[in-house]
Amino acid sequence: MSRVTEQKHGANVDDAVKHTDFDAYQTELVHGWLRTVAFLATGLVPLFFVLDVILLPHELIPLFALYRGLSTALILLQFVILSRTKPGPMSYFHGYFASFQIGGFIALMTVHLGGFDDGYYVGLILVIIGVNLLLPWRGKHTGLNTLIIIGMYLGLNLAHPQPYDFRLLVNNLFFLCSSGILAVSINELRHRLIANEFSLLIKLKEARDSLWGEMELAQRIQMSLLPRRLNLTGYDIAALMEPAQEVGGDYYEVFETETGARYVAIGDVAGHGLNAGLIMMMVQTSLMTLLKSEPDCSPVRALETINAALRENVGRLGSDHYMTMTILKLGDEIIEIAGHHQDILVHRYASNTLEIQPTTGTWLGITDDLRGLIDSLTLTIEPGDTLLLFTDGLTEAGEEHGDMFGQQNLERLFRQGVAGDPEDITRTLLDGVKAYQQQQDDDMTALVVRRCIDKDGLHPASQGSKAPLSSVPSSQKA
C-alpha cells in the first residue's frame, strides 16, 4: 500500500469514527483488505500453474494455462479498480467476485480431472480460507461465499457427470463445509472484535476531544493572563511568546502600578506543557497580587514572596518544578534588577554598542526561603537604549545535527535588527530561530524594552541612520 493510499485510508477511517458510522468503518477495512487479497492472488494464481505443470497430464497444460491466465487477468483488473475507487457497497461485490472467478476456474479444472473423485478440490478450500479469512466482513458473507463456491463445484461436476465414488464425494463435501464453518466462526468472532475496537475508538475520540477542549481552554486562560498593555510611561515594549505545546511554561509580565512604579518580568518554568503552564499561572497570580498590595516593592521582595507561594503550591501538587525568573523595576535613569535568568542584552543607543548584563541569584521553587540568596543589581538606562530579555528556547534551539542556536547568534540577530521598533525586533529574533531549528522543542519568548528618546517619546528608528553598529564582546559585561 503506497504512502498516499495509507493516508487516504487513515483519513477515511478517521472520518467514519468521527461520524460514528460503523458500516463505513467496516467497509473501509474490507476495501483495504480486498486490495491485499487481489495483490496476493495476482502472484499466487499463476504460481500454482507451476504445480500444474509438474502434476497434471501434459494435454491439459495449455487449457489450464488459459484458465490461470484469465483468472490472473480478472484479479489484476480488480486490483486496479479497487485502487482507484472509494469504499462502498461495491467493495463487497469484489469479495464475492474474487471467490467466484477463482473458485469457478478451479471447479472447472476438477471437471477436466475426473470430477468428484479427483483431489484437486482442495484448491477450493484454499479459496474459502484465503479469501474469507483475509476479509474482515461478517460471518453471513463468509457463509454465502462458501455456499457459492461449493455450489459451483457441485453444479459444474453434475452438469458433466462422470463416474465417482460416493464416499469420496462425502469426504470432499465434509472438508469443504468444515472449512466454511470454521471461516464463518472466525469471521463472526472477528466482527465482534472489530465492533469492540470501533466502540473503543469512539470513546477514545470523545476523550481526546474533551482533553483537547480542556487544553484549548487552558491555552486561552494562559494567553489571557499575559499583559495586554505593553508600553509603560517612558518605555516602548514588545513581547512575543510561542509555546512548544498548547500550554507553555514561559512567562513575561509588563505592569505599571497605581503609584507609577514600572515592572518588567520574564521567567521560564522547567519543562513545558500543562504542568509548566500551571506553575506559570501561579507565578503570575502571585506577582499581580503583590504589586497591587505593595505597589512600590523591590524586585528582591517580589521574588521572595513569589518563591514562598510557589513552594507551598508545588508541594501540595507533589511536584518538584522550579523556574528561573528575573524582575526589572524600570526607573527614569536606573533599572533595578533581581533574579537569576538568562543574560540581558543591552544596546547602547548613544555609543551604538552591545553589552551583556548577567543575572544573579537562584531559581524559584528550590528552597523555602530566598532571603540572602538574591542580590539587587542596577543598570543605567539612557534614552534610546534597548534591552532584550529572552528564554532559553531561543538559544537552545537545535538544528538537524544537534548544534544549538546559541547566544552569539542571538546577539548577531539583535544587532542586525535593533534599529527597528521593538515589535519588529521580536519577530526578527523568533523568525531567525525558527528558520534555524529542525523542530520546536521548547517554549520561546523574546521581550524588548526600549527607553523612549526625550520627552517626545520618539523611537531610535525615527532618528535617521546612524554609524555602523559596533559591539562589546560577551566577556565585557554591562
Side-chain angles (χ1 to χ4, degrees):
M1 194 181 295
S2 67
R3 184 177 183 87
V4 174
T5 303
E6 288 178 352
Q7 291 175 344
K8 290 181 179 178
H9 171 72
N12 291 334
V13 168
D14 289 342
D15 192 58
V17 173
K18 179 180 178 181
H19 295 92
T20 62
D21 189 345
F22 178 71
D23 289 338
Y25 177 76
Q26 187 170 38
T27 301
E28 172 65 32
L29 294 178
V30 170
H31 192 87
W33 274 103
L34 272 168
R35 286 194 294 264
T36 302
V37 170
F39 178 78
L40 291 174
T42 55
L44 291 175
V45 171
L47 184 62
F48 276 109
F49 180 68
V50 177
L51 190 61
D52 295 340
V53 173
I54 297 173
L55 299 178
L56 301 183
H58 293 294
E59 61 270 17
L60 292 177
I61 297 301
L63 181 60
F64 278 35
L66 176 62
Y67 290 161
R68 297 289 187 187
L70 289 174
S71 182
T72 302
L74 289 173
I75 201 70
L76 183 60
L77 178 62
Q78 275 193 280
F79 178 77
V80 173
I81 294 174
L82 288 165
S83 299
R84 297 185 177 183
T85 56
K86 296 180 179 180
M90 287 298 292
S91 299
Y92 288 86
F93 167 79
H94 282 284
Y96 283 103
F97 183 76
S99 298
F100 174 79
Q101 66 96 357
I102 298 175
F105 280 117
I106 294 176
L108 193 57
M109 291 176 186
T110 63
V111 174
H112 293 289
L113 291 170
F116 293 131
D117 286 353
D118 189 78
Y120 210 79
Y121 81 95
V122 296
L124 298 175
I125 295 178
L126 292 178
V127 176
I128 292 173
I129 295 176
V131 174
N132 290 299
L133 291 189
L134 282 176
L135 295 182
W137 56 11
R138 290 208 64 170
K140 63 182 181 180
H141 296 292
T142 303
L144 181 57
N145 207 13
T146 300
L147 290 176
I148 291 173
I149 293 172
I150 295 176
M152 288 190 298
Y153 173 62
L154 292 173
L156 288 173
N157 280 282
L158 291 175
H160 303 83
Q162 302 178 64
Y164 66 91
D165 185 337
F166 181 75
R167 292 174 301 176
L168 289 178
L169 175 58
V170 172
N171 176 79
N172 297 350
L173 292 176
F174 175 81
F175 282 103
L176 286 170
C177 292
S178 297
S179 299
I181 292 172
L182 288 174
V184 169
S185 301
I186 293 174
N187 270 12
E188 192 61 27
L189 176 60
R190 182 166 56 182
H191 170 76
R192 295 179 184 179
L193 293 175
I194 291 173
N196 288 337
E197 176 189 54
F198 184 76
S199 177
L200 290 174
L201 287 174
I202 296 297
K203 293 179 180 178
L204 180 62
K205 173 185 173 295
E206 292 173 351
R208 180 195 64 189
D209 292 346
S210 176
L211 178 61
W212 184 255
E214 291 178 0
M215 291 293 288
E216 288 184 327
L217 177 60
Q219 183 184 42
R220 289 197 299 270
I221 293 174
Q222 182 182 34
M223 292 299 105
S224 67
L225 292 178
L226 294 176
R228 297 181 181 275
R229 176 178 176 269
L230 294 182
N231 291 342
L232 303 178
T233 303
Y235 286 89
D236 190 5
I237 301 173
L240 192 58
M241 181 175 75
E242 292 196 9
Q245 298 179 0
E246 287 73 21
V247 180
D250 280 7
Y251 167 65
Y252 68 86
E253 187 60 73
V254 178
F255 188 74
E256 186 167 352
T257 68
E258 59 185 13
T259 62
R262 293 156 290 182
Y263 295 88
V264 169
I266 189 168
D268 183 5
V269 181
H272 45 82
L274 191 57
N275 285 341
L278 181 60
I279 300 298
M280 179 278 249
M281 295 179 201
M282 292 179 185
V283 171
Q284 192 272 349
T285 302
S286 298
L287 180 58
M288 287 297 95
T289 302
L290 177 65
L291 292 182
K292 288 182 180 297
S293 62
E294 300 181 29
D296 290 299
C297 76
S298 68
V300 171
R301 162 68 176 156
L303 289 171
E304 291 174 349
T305 304
I306 293 171
N307 179 76
L310 185 61
R311 284 285 290 177
E312 176 67 22
N313 289 333
V314 168
R316 292 180 180 181
L317 290 174
S319 173
D320 57 354
H321 277 79
Y322 61 89
M323 72 175 295
T324 60
M325 186 174 185
T326 294
I327 298 179
L328 289 72
K329 186 175 183 181
L330 308 180
D332 292 334
E333 298 179 354
I334 299 294
I335 295 178
E336 187 179 352
I337 304 171
H340 178 59
H341 187 63
Q342 305 295 318
D343 290 342
I344 301 174
L345 307 186
V346 184
H347 168 249
R348 297 299 186 182
Y349 178 63
S351 61
N352 207 25
T353 58
L354 184 66
E355 301 173 358
I356 312 300
Q357 172 63 59
T359 59
T360 62
T362 188
W363 300 328
L364 303 184
I366 297 297
T367 183
D368 292 331
D369 192 348
L370 289 185
R371 286 178 294 183
L373 299 178
I374 302 178
D375 295 326
S376 179
L377 307 174
T378 57
L379 176 71
T380 58
I381 185 75
E382 300 292 338
D385 289 352
T386 304
L387 279 61
L388 171 61
L389 293 82
F390 58 93
T391 60
D392 60 8
L394 277 71
T395 55
E396 295 180 3
E399 48 89 69
E400 182 179 0
H401 301 292
D403 294 332
M404 292 191 297
F405 189 73
Q407 185 166 312
Q408 289 186 342
N409 281 327
L410 189 66
E411 293 172 14
R412 174 180 54 80
L413 283 182
F414 183 47
R415 288 196 298 267
Q416 291 175 354
V418 75
D421 61 55
E423 186 173 350
D424 290 337
I425 296 173
T426 59
R427 175 48 60 189
T428 297
L429 294 175
L430 262 70
D431 286 347
V433 174
K434 290 167 67 175
Y436 177 86
Q437 68 184 2
Q438 184 178 19
Q439 65 179 21
Q440 185 178 348
D441 295 321
D442 198 3
D443 308 320
M444 300 190 301
T445 301
L447 178 65
V448 175
V449 179
R450 171 176 289 157
R451 184 182 169 191
C452 298
I453 291 182
D454 299 330
K455 57 185 177 181
D456 295 327
L458 297 177
H459 296 172
S462 66
Q463 300 301 304
S465 59
K466 295 180 65 66
L469 176 68
S470 60
S471 64
V472 176
S474 297
S475 59
Q476 184 174 340
K477 306 300 182 179

